[in-house]
């Protein structure tokens, strides 16, 4: 996303929340940096922008803030460093930290804060030197929060990283015999709930911090308070389809509720056992160790641009040399970008996007807007449609449609797709007509030959969702083979991608679920089971549970059809139902299995 767009987003949020530039900038950068950024000038680097967006209570996953090659390098180094710590490879982490110190401006408060936080974490976890950890954490905290006072928490603007740092500091402080965490744990959680407007960042952050606060309450014989905060965290996470730290949350719920709420204990034990058995069956660790506060749920798509360059060039039949000549770029640079060995600078990215007429600041967003609130609305619409609440979704969509600019192709495509979807699901319009409308929506970006080229490029999330809709329509009008072919080509394009699959979860899982059902309905049983297994693996490794219950049910039903016998499948259907309950599936989503189970086994599912 270009700096003008970022500046507009920041100014909009700051003014809406009545936050002064002085308060937003405090401890992070000068006020003039924010003024220049809001004016669309080059004022702040990625790490400053990241902190500002987070302090405004927003998720930086929705916008691409990284502006140049060095930012990419430092960001990826941080990712490697926190990954080493998560694996308890502290010597490797120390070496990576030394590399990081050599690259950054050591006078920058944000880089210095990160360095001191990591040093504090290593002191605490590797050496159990809680005094040194306390010193490092406090120094790190006060770099961006000078004269910080817990009693005046509401007077400060804290971003995600600052709240994690504060929790680390208080947790370590408790090991020194202090009780600040017990005193201020709920205050911090309440701050997170009120301050962060984006559900994704809120539930992610609340989930991690709640485990630390809950453990403190457990140690200090305050089980009711511990259960309250951990239950709330679990409901936030699973309600958003996330499995981050789910094993630890569920085990804590069982540990606490066993002696104070028998009914709750029994319900959660059934759901825990259902999910745990699935983890074990597919070879995933059911990790109940202490969580790593440093590891969150980031989905930054930093590697996708290399993929776009190559696929757009190949589709158009342009050689690397010709592209380099047209763009006045060294052909070696094009080669390095396509191989993922170089992260292109922002100016280079824009040249490439303009050359290929790609109208996107961030390739995975479905709409382009200067308003964070509209991005939130789009996400809520997607969530409502996932839960098949089409009436509520359409009402919100009609409001969004009036407010997004339709002078760019991406927004027009989104509006055309959603309008067709609601006509199909709510008004039961002719399926052939809806299919034609979806194909036209797809061609807004890709052109008339776009659908013919499916499989030759990795589609964006928006494109994948439209392809899935077209495939569903094909199946509804009896052209199942055509549906399967379209889905297979799209899935294979994703599987050839070098980009980490976790960045592709939503579109790829959706396509695989549809493909799995299509294979089962056409008696391609082995392929249906193969795709169910593949997508379950993919979901758990991506820390997502949206489709787990359905996939297990679909796999079980397919195996029953293969054998002609479902007498041994009762426990699997119960397992899939309990996973759906855990992941907060709607009654409408659970109803078909409830009816089938009653018919097959003469019992109610509870």
């Amino acid at each position: 996303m270009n700096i003008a767009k970022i500046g507009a987003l920041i100014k909009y949020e700051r003014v809406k929340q009545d936050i002064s530039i002085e308060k937003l900038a405090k401890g992070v950068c000068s006020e003039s940096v924010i003024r220049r950024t809001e004016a669309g000038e080059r004022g702040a680097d990625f790490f400053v922008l990241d902190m500002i967006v987070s302090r405004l209570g927003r998720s930086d996953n929705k916008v691409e803030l990284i502006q140049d090659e060095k930012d990419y390098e430092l960001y990826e180094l941080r990712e490697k460093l926190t990954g080493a710590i998560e694996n308890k490879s502290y010597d490797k982490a120390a070496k990576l930290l030394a590399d990081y110190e050599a690259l950054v401006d050591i006078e920058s408060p944000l880089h210095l804060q990160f360095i001191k936080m990591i040093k504090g974490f290593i002191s605490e976890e590797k050496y159990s030197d809680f005094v040194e950890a306390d010193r490092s954490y406090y120094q790190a905290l006060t770099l961006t929060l000078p004269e910080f006072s817990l009693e005046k928490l509401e007077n400060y603007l804290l971003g995600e990283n600052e709240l994690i740092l504060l929790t680390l500091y208080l947790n370590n402080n408790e090991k020194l015999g202090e009780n600040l965490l017990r005193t201020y744990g709920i205050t911090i959680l309440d701050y997170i709930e009120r301050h962060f407007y984006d559900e994704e960042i809120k539930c992610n952050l609340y989930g991690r911090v709640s485990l630390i606060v809950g453990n403190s309450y457990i140690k200090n014989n305050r089980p009711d308070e511990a259960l309250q905060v951990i239950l709330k965290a679990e409901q936030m996470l699973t309600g958003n389809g996330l499995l981050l730290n789910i094993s630890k949350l569920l085990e804590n719920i069982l540990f606490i509720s066993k002696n104070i709420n028998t009914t709750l204990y029994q319900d959660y034990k059934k759901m825990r056992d259902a999910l745990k058995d699935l983890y074990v069956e597919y070879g995933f660790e059911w990790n109940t160790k202490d969580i790593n506060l440093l590891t969150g749920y980031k989905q930054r798509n930093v590697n996708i641009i290399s993929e776009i360059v190559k696929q757009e060039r190949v589709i158009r039949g342009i050689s690397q040399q010709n592209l380099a000549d047209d763009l006045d770029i060294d052909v070696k640079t094009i080669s390095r970008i396509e191989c993922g060995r170089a992260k292109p600078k922002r100016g280079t990215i824009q040249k490439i996007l303009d050359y290929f007429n790609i109208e996107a600041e961030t390739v995975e967003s479905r709409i382009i807007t200067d308003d964070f609130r509209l991005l939130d609305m789009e996400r809520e619409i997607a969530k409502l449609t996932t839960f098949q609440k089409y009436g509520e979704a359409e009402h919100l969509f009609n409001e969004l449609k009036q407010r997004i600019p339709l002078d760019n192709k991406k927004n027009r495509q989104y509006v055309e797709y959603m309008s067709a979807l609601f006509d199909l699901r709510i008004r039961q319009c002719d399926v052939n007509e809806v299919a034609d409308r979806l194909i036209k929506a797809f061609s807004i970006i890709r052109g008339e030959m776009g659908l013919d080229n499916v499989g030759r490029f990795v589609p964006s999330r928006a494109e994948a969702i439209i392809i899935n809709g077209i495939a569903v329509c094909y199946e509804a009008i009896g052209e199942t083979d055509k549906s399967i072919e379209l889905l297979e080509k799209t899935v294979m394009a994703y599987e050839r991608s070098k980009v980490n699959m976790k960045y592709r979860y939503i579109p790829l899982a959706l396509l695989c679920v549809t493909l799995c059902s299509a294979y089962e309905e056409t008696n391609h049983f082995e392929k249906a089971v193969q795709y169910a297994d593949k997508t379950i693996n993919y979901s758990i490794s991506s820390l997502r549970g949206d489709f787990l219950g359905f996939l297990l049910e679909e796999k079980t039903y397919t195996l029953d059809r293969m054998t002609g016998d479902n007498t041994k499948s009762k426990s699997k259907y119960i397992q899939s139902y309990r996973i759906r309950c855990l992941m907060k599936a709607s009654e409408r989503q659970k109803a078909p299995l409830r009816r089938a189970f009653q018919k097959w086994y003469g019992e109610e599912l509870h």
Side-chain angles (χ1 to χ4, degrees):
M1 178 172 281
N2 65 47
I3 195 67
K5 291 279 188 182
I6 294 168
L9 288 168
I10 288 171
K11 184 174 183 178
Y12 172 84
E13 283 297 321
R14 183 182 63 76
V15 172
K16 186 183 73 173
Q17 297 180 45
D18 194 24
I19 296 170
S20 69
I21 289 178
E22 177 187 12
K23 188 172 185 179
L24 185 59
K26 191 171 185 178
V28 175
C29 61
S30 67
E31 294 175 33
S32 64
V33 166
I34 292 184
R35 288 195 182 93
R36 291 200 304 272
T37 301
E38 289 187 350
E41 303 168 6
R42 181 59 190 264
D45 67 17
F46 159 71
F47 298 96
V48 171
L49 291 173
D50 187 62
M51 178 65 86
I52 290 170
V53 169
S54 186
R55 278 187 167 188
L56 289 169
R58 294 295 178 178
S59 169
D60 62 1
N61 282 345
K62 292 199 170 60
V63 290
E64 182 56 82
L65 302 176
I66 296 180
Q67 298 293 306
D68 60 38
E69 192 168 349
K70 186 175 181 182
D71 287 345
Y72 278 117
E73 187 177 2
L74 291 174
Y75 173 79
E76 290 186 337
L77 190 51
R78 282 195 180 198
E79 291 281 283
K80 291 176 183 177
L81 215 164
T82 54
I85 285 178
E86 184 177 14
N87 294 324
K88 300 187 183 301
S89 303
Y90 297 118
D91 291 339
K92 180 180 179 180
K95 183 180 182 305
L96 289 168
L97 186 60
D99 294 340
Y100 187 86
E101 288 185 77
L103 284 173
V104 300
D105 174 10
I106 204 66
E107 299 299 320
S108 163
L110 295 180
H111 291 305
L112 189 57
Q113 182 179 72
F114 178 76
I115 291 165
K116 288 186 176 295
M117 179 178 70
I118 296 298
K119 287 182 176 179
F121 195 89
I122 292 174
S123 295
E124 178 185 2
E125 295 296 321
K126 182 179 182 180
Y127 300 106
S128 298
D129 189 342
F130 306 127
V131 173
E132 180 58 33
D134 181 76
R135 184 181 300 110
S136 295
Y137 288 146
Y138 183 75
Q139 288 175 350
L141 193 64
T142 54
L143 279 166
T144 60
L145 299 168
E147 302 174 1
F148 179 74
S149 168
L150 277 166
E151 292 84 356
K152 299 178 181 178
L153 181 63
E154 289 297 332
N155 295 337
Y156 292 85
L157 279 178
L158 278 75
E160 179 182 7
N161 291 338
E162 290 167 311
L163 280 159
I164 290 297
L165 180 55
L166 175 59
T167 306
L168 286 168
Y169 169 67
L170 296 180
N171 189 46
N172 180 75
N173 188 265
E174 192 167 73
K175 297 173 183 177
L176 294 171
E178 300 292 337
N179 62 2
L180 293 176
L181 190 60
R182 280 168 277 167
T183 305
Y184 293 104
I186 293 294
T187 303
I188 294 171
L189 289 170
D190 286 346
Y191 182 93
I192 292 170
E193 190 173 8
R194 288 195 308 273
H195 179 68
F196 288 93
Y197 300 96
D198 185 281
E199 284 296 318
E200 183 178 65
I201 191 173
K202 181 192 293 185
C203 67
N204 170 9
L205 186 55
Y206 194 100
R208 287 182 284 164
V209 175
S210 72
L211 280 168
I212 302 299
V213 175
N215 285 340
S216 176
Y217 288 152
I218 291 170
K219 291 175 188 174
N220 291 280
N221 198 30
R222 294 163 66 175
D224 291 322
E225 291 165 281
L227 185 59
Q228 178 185 352
V229 299
I230 293 173
L231 269 175
K232 191 167 191 174
E234 178 273 323
Q235 289 162 3
M236 279 186 180
L237 283 162
T238 54
N240 281 275
L242 293 175
L243 297 175
L244 186 67
N245 298 313
I246 190 65
S247 52
K248 184 67 174 176
L249 284 164
L250 291 176
E251 295 297 343
N252 277 16
I253 289 170
L254 294 182
F255 177 77
I256 302 165
S257 65
K258 188 172 185 178
N259 296 319
I260 64 174
N261 190 329
T262 305
T263 301
L264 185 74
Y265 172 81
Q266 291 173 343
D267 286 345
Y268 267 93
K269 186 176 186 305
K270 291 173 184 175
M271 292 187 290
R272 187 282 310 267
D273 289 348
L275 186 61
K276 183 179 180 180
D277 288 348
L278 194 69
Y279 269 57
V280 172
E281 179 183 351
Y282 283 85
F284 288 91
E285 180 185 7
W286 186 254
N287 185 8
T288 59
K289 301 172 186 175
D290 291 337
I291 66 158
N292 181 359
L293 270 171
L294 300 179
T295 305
Y297 189 77
K298 291 290 186 182
Q299 298 186 79
R300 193 173 314 286
N301 303 312
V302 297
N303 296 317
I304 292 176
I305 189 64
S306 64
E307 186 170 77
I308 291 175
V309 175
K310 185 172 183 178
Q311 70 186 22
E312 295 298 330
R313 180 182 62 75
V314 171
I315 286 172
R316 288 164 172 79
I318 302 170
S319 68
Q320 287 186 345
Q321 186 63 61
N322 287 341
L323 179 59
D325 291 342
D326 289 347
L327 295 175
D328 194 23
I329 297 172
D330 191 312
V331 69
K332 292 180 181 178
T333 300
I334 298 294
S335 177
R336 291 177 67 231
I337 289 171
E338 290 189 3
C339 292
R341 293 196 299 268
K343 302 297 185 297
K345 296 178 181 179
R346 175 53 55 180
T348 305
I349 292 175
Q350 197 57 53
K351 269 188 176 183
I352 293 167
L353 293 179
D354 290 344
Y355 183 88
F356 291 127
N357 195 26
I358 298 172
E359 200 173 33
E361 278 89 356
T362 171
V363 296
E364 291 298 280
S365 66
R366 294 180 68 190
I367 62 173
I368 297 175
T369 175
D370 293 343
D371 188 342
F372 268 120
R373 185 168 45 180
L374 300 187
L375 293 171
D376 289 342
M377 288 173 68
E378 185 274 316
R379 184 172 185 269
E380 183 62 22
I381 291 166
K383 185 176 177 180
L384 288 168
T385 55
T386 297
F387 283 93
Q388 300 177 12
K389 297 180 179 180
Y390 297 115
E392 294 177 52
E394 185 180 38
H395 178 76
L396 193 59
F397 167 71
N398 287 334
E399 180 183 349
L400 176 63
K401 183 171 62 175
Q402 300 302 317
R403 297 168 60 185
I404 61 172
L406 295 178
D407 57 351
N408 64 63
K409 293 183 290 186
K410 200 154 196 177
N411 289 352
R412 291 203 304 276
Q413 183 184 68
Y414 173 75
V415 168
E416 291 299 322
Y417 164 74
M418 294 303 297
S419 298
L421 173 69
F422 293 130
D423 282 347
L424 177 66
R425 298 300 184 191
I426 297 175
R427 285 168 282 281
Q428 305 295 307
C429 289
D430 180 74
V431 180
N432 283 286
E433 177 190 335
V434 172
D436 288 341
R437 289 169 60 188
L438 292 177
I439 292 169
K440 288 178 181 177
F442 188 78
S443 68
I444 289 173
I445 302 293
R446 290 286 171 181
E448 294 300 323
M449 298 298 292
L451 211 59
D452 295 333
N453 281 311
V454 166
R456 299 181 66 195
F457 60 89
V458 180
S460 68
R461 179 181 300 183
E463 290 172 330
I465 290 170
I466 295 173
I467 289 170
N468 188 73
I470 295 168
V472 169
C473 288
Y474 283 162
E475 190 170 353
I477 60 180
E479 297 187 11
T480 306
D481 289 344
K482 199 172 178 180
S483 172
I484 289 174
E485 181 184 9
L486 183 61
L487 291 166
E488 278 183 335
K489 286 181 177 179
T490 312
V491 169
M492 284 190 288
Y494 276 120
E495 290 177 341
R496 288 195 299 269
S497 171
K498 295 180 181 179
V499 176
N500 192 309
M501 285 295 190
K502 71 179 181 179
Y503 298 129
R504 307 292 200 185
Y505 171 77
I506 292 176
L508 184 51
L510 178 64
L511 293 163
C512 286
V513 165
T514 305
L515 187 54
C516 182
S517 297
Y519 278 138
E520 179 268 316
E521 289 174 8
T522 54
N523 300 331
H524 293 85
F525 299 134
E526 291 184 358
K527 283 193 173 183
V529 171
Q530 174 191 344
Y531 269 93
D533 283 336
K534 181 187 294 188
T535 313
I536 289 171
N537 266 294
Y538 174 43
S539 298
I540 297 175
S541 62
S542 299
L543 299 175
R544 299 297 303 240
D546 315 60
F547 297 111
L548 285 180
F550 172 81
L551 288 162
L552 179 58
E553 175 191 337
E554 186 70 15
K555 176 184 175 181
T556 305
Y557 182 68
T558 301
L559 291 171
D560 289 348
R561 289 197 61 205
M562 287 177 69
T563 62
D565 178 16
N566 70 358
T567 57
K568 298 178 182 179
S569 301
K570 183 177 177 181
S571 62
K572 282 295 183 182
Y573 288 119
I574 293 172
Q575 181 187 10
S576 67
Y577 184 78
R578 288 173 177 169
I579 291 173
R580 284 193 168 198
C581 290
L582 176 66
M583 300 310 299
K584 311 301 180 286
S586 67
E587 288 305 314
R588 182 174 178 176
Q589 290 172 311
K590 293 183 291 186
L593 179 56
R594 291 171 68 98
R595 290 193 296 268
F597 193 85
Q598 172 70 37
K599 178 181 177 181
W600 294 333
Y601 304 108
E603 298 177 21
E604 290 286 340
L605 268 172
H606 299 289

